Amino acid sequence: MRASYTFNVTPSLPPRLERLRELALNLRWSWDHETIALFRRLDGGLWEETGHNPVLLLGKIRQEKLEAASRDEAFLAHMDRVCRSLDEYMAEGGWYAGAHDDVEGLKVAYFSAEFGLTECLPIYSGGLGILAGDHLKSASDLGVPLVGVGLLYQEGYFRQYLNADGWQQERYEDNDFFNMPVTLEKHADGKAVKIEVRYPGRAVTARIWRIQVGRVPLFLLDTNVPENSPDDRAIAGRLYGGDIEMRLKQEILLGIGGVHALAALGIEANTYHMNEGHSAFMALERIRRVMEEKGAPFADARELTSAGNVFTTHTPVPAGNDRFPPDLFLKYVSHYADALGLSEKELLALGRERPEDDNEPFCMTVLALKLAAKRNGVSKLHGRVSRRMWRSVWPDLPEDEIPIDSITNGVHFRSWISKDLADLYDRYLGPKWMEDPTDRWIWDSVENIPREELWRTHERRRERLVAFARGRLKEQVVQRGGSRAEIRAADEALDPEALTIGFARRFATYKRADLILRDTERLAKILCDRERPVQLIFAGKAHPRDNHGKELLRKIVHLIRGKELRKRVVFLEDYDVSVARYLVQGVDVWLNTPRRLLEASGTSGMKASANGAINVSILDGWWWEAYSPEAGWRVGNDEDYDDRDYQDTVESNALYDMLEQEIVPMFYKRDSNGLPTKWISLMKSATRLLCPAYNTNRMVHDYTEKFYLPCYFNWKDLGEEEMARAKLLAQWKKLLRSAWREVTVKDVTVENGTELRVGGRLEVLARVALGSIPPSDVAVEVYHGQLNALGEIVEGRPTRMEWREQDGDGGHVFRGYVPCIASGRNGFAVRVVPTHQDFGRCYEPGLIAWK
């Protein structure tokens, strides 16, 4: 029976406790141990029962407990202290206000399909969402003027459980937004703020919710409203749920609806960050709005809006990027062709690597690449992989010059470091480790922490992890109807003093969760050594449609249920932020074994290292640039084998050798006080080396300095005086495209021979035909470097040539020099690229000529 009327009931707080509501609705509590302790103090059992949800806790707690707390002087003093801390935090400007007090007007809109902020907001699936949540938290800490935009999913991501055979099952639970730390955005008259997004044959209505993340607001769209049909109410139903058509509907809502939402809220963002390609339709809607508001043609509006767009790609394999069949794309988005003054073919070309191919699907990543001014991968190695993946978008550029940069991911320390270790850092590093975790001098003070204090703190956290794991295992056994013997076995699983290895991430086959299980006989000898026991804790979810991942998970569960491994290896179901926190804070070793070049970054290892765990990882993602013998261990080298089975054998054996010969002996070698001195030294050096670099404060600082501010200034310059410079830039590019067929490098001559010494230079003359394009609009360059066995230039670099004279045939002579830096076989080519006195070098597809 559906309700005829709805109303909302809020907790009845005594006046003295009224500010608890405010504390609950600002997610700063999720990274402030004192605020969490305050809510635990109200009712510790209920805090756990509600999944660490302070809003639900306040709604379910007995009124007499609230009344008692309102008269408890100690509780009130604690609450007042927490409130003062929040007030001070909200009033401060942060790093940005001090570093850029002369900048007015920057407003960044950060779009992401998922945000992993805390376990009581299950609107994330894994690393992408956790990274987005940590990005907002550090933007808040740094005071960067940023707002988040996403979707509020009615069911979020699935809850995981395993059946008796070990096969993953999915359970979806409704999110009760009115009992979560979110608030509905309303007009002054109390009515919800709503927007409409165009879909085939109808408009879909969405309301807007706010999550306050410290100083940063996050706005989320929800289509579960009475105005919509049942099918449309489900658009924001499940994260990554449904078929490809549902994915397209969700990405329209996120990208286009997200821009509508900011406008409805009166937020004038000027720099837009697309976290992965899911939100790339935002770029089309920005262009449409400028065309409508300014009366500008598509080309002018594209130059203006693209100047303010940032795009981060996270996916190192082509199959992981969203692509839509042309017919399906046009069914939903063809009206943008009319709105933008384009043909359907021209609209589709914006999302195609090969625009002339009418059968190529529309790719969201390509759309984002083409309509962004700044683009990046999420580690140095991933930047290289991305440039290789997307070189077809810039077919005439050498791979090293593909305009995709890299900013390595990080993690938000205050969200992940345990309270007892944070207290230790406070005592020996001072409070600045939280305020400015990028300061290397601060982390050098880790060496001042007494060995015994550090080790005892770590041991307590391992004990907590084991206690948590046993409790979770018992729940799992009871849920699937296990026997009493199985329940008793859960109580005996794991050893709080044993070397503990954690492996927790999405169960995709390329992550190779089973690499360490490849030789179970050899592994059993390592794990079951009575004098030096080792134990493994696995966690992670397979995507609901990834049967290969589910089969891998099932295979692992069957292996660890064997008699030999049962007490030493466990799998914790329903991996989420809470489970992750216990793991990264309690394990001794964090294991990561992806197939090389398929891990874009990986941030779980960063969380573990901040907590004193040692990384043991394949050289991929962040570990490729972070690894040193003082920071942890590497599995294998940079080798890649065509035979994957052989590679798995080589790397699993290397892992076993490392465990047997280095890791286990180091952990169990104790001094007269029972301390593993070499292990503790490794913990300290890893913390000292890794923490300053692999945190989101450094990451958001890099985005701000390298991307946000340059984009903002460029957007501002192009938009001044009725878009005068944007119009000039669009006109200039149009003239270049129409005349570029006349550009050729007619001939190249070398003036001083082909045998030179290191330190010398090769003089080069080039005769270039430019047609109607003036020499000031191009850069003629010598692209030079050492040659590989195939005669290809490796890691080339351009050197600009100078205009010398005009020849008798209407061409132009340019002279340049190639520096002889290294001995061996070198080579060069001459190229022409557009350049503008105001806009610099222009890497436009199709606008480059080589000889």
Side-chain angles (χ1 to χ4, degrees), residues 274 280 283-284 287 302 305-306 309 350 366-373:
M274 296 170 273
L284 295 181
I287 294 171
R302 175 179 179 173
T305 56
S306 295
N309 289 342
L350 292 173
V366 174
L367 177 65
L369 288 169
K370 289 184 176 181
L371 296 183

Side-chain angles (χ1 to χ4, degrees), residues 450-704:
R451 289 174 177 172
E452 186 162 0
E453 279 194 69
L454 180 59
W455 188 243
R456 298 309 173 215
T457 298
H458 182 62
E459 286 190 312
R460 284 195 302 273
R461 298 184 308 160
R462 192 190 316 115
E463 291 166 5
R464 279 202 298 269
L465 168 60
V466 169
F468 170 79
R470 287 173 175 173
R472 182 60 74 97
L473 288 170
K474 285 175 67 175
E475 291 174 9
Q476 293 170 195
V477 171
V478 170
Q479 185 179 44
R480 68 169 180 265
S483 66
R484 291 183 179 179
E486 288 180 294
I487 294 173
R488 284 196 300 272
D491 273 333
E492 297 171 1
L494 305 176
D495 178 348
E497 296 183 358
L499 170 61
T500 304
I501 300 172
F503 183 102
R505 52 194 35 85
R506 183 162 56 89
F507 262 70
T509 51
Y510 80 85
K511 292 182 181 285
R512 296 193 299 178
D514 58 342
L515 189 72
I516 195 171
L517 301 169
R518 192 170 176 83
D519 185 340
T520 53
E521 186 176 336
R522 189 175 179 186
L523 178 64
K525 288 180 180 178
I526 296 170
L527 299 183
C528 300
D529 187 312
R530 291 186 178 182
E531 299 298 318
R532 303 187 306 186
V534 180
Q535 55 201 15
L536 272 165
I537 303 178
F538 286 95
K541 298 176 178 179
H543 189 280
R545 292 192 296 276
D546 182 5
N547 285 331
H548 294 294
K550 289 182 178 182
E551 185 56 47
L552 173 63
L553 200 163
R554 178 181 172 275
K555 170 188 167 186
I556 289 174
V557 170
H558 276 259
L559 280 172
I560 66 181
R561 284 180 182 172
K563 193 172 183 180
E564 280 189 309
L565 300 182
R566 188 178 299 164
K567 290 186 178 182
R568 294 289 177 215
V569 189
V570 300
F571 180 86
L572 302 182
E573 297 175 14
D574 204 27
Y575 184 46
D576 67 358
V577 168
S578 180
V579 176
R581 204 178 288 117
Y582 275 103
L583 283 167
V584 299
Q585 293 172 5
V587 299
D588 302 292
V589 168
W590 193 259
L591 181 63
N592 187 34
T593 52
R595 198 168 297 286
R596 244 181 63 79
L597 304 184
L598 297 183
E599 181 92 293
S601 174
T603 55
S604 58
M606 301 176 192
K607 302 177 183 84
S609 67
N611 278 286
I614 308 302
N615 277 273
V616 176
S617 178
I618 297 291
L619 287 175
D620 200 11
W622 80 288
W623 197 237
W624 181 82
E625 64 191 79
Y627 166 74
S628 83
E630 296 177 87
W633 285 277
R634 65 182 181 188
V635 180
N637 294 306
D638 280 334
E639 302 119 348
D640 296 305
Y641 302 92
D642 293 333
D643 185 335
R644 290 189 168 186
D645 186 66
Y646 175 68
Q647 181 163 358
D648 292 349
T649 299
V650 168
E651 292 176 346
S652 63
N653 285 331
L655 178 56
Y656 296 137
D657 290 344
M658 199 181 303
L659 285 166
E660 292 166 340
Q661 298 166 23
E662 298 181 58
I663 297 172
V664 175
M666 183 188 291
F667 182 85
Y668 281 105
K669 186 177 181 180
R670 307 297 168 100
D671 66 8
S672 58
N673 295 314
L675 299 177
T677 53
K678 284 191 175 180
W679 190 275
I680 295 169
S681 294
L682 184 58
M683 289 174 66
K684 288 185 175 185
S685 63
T687 301
R688 177 172 49 80
L689 291 170
L690 300 177
C691 282
Y694 299 100
N695 61 80
T696 41
N697 278 42
R698 185 273 312 155
M699 182 191 79
V700 173
H701 180 280
D702 285 353
Y703 275 112
T704 303

Side-chain angles (χ1 to χ4, degrees), residues 110-125:
Y110 181 90
F111 282 64
S112 183
E114 50 176 300
F115 287 91
L117 294 157
T118 181
E119 54 267 38
C120 72
L121 284 167
I123 54 173
Y124 62 94
S125 71

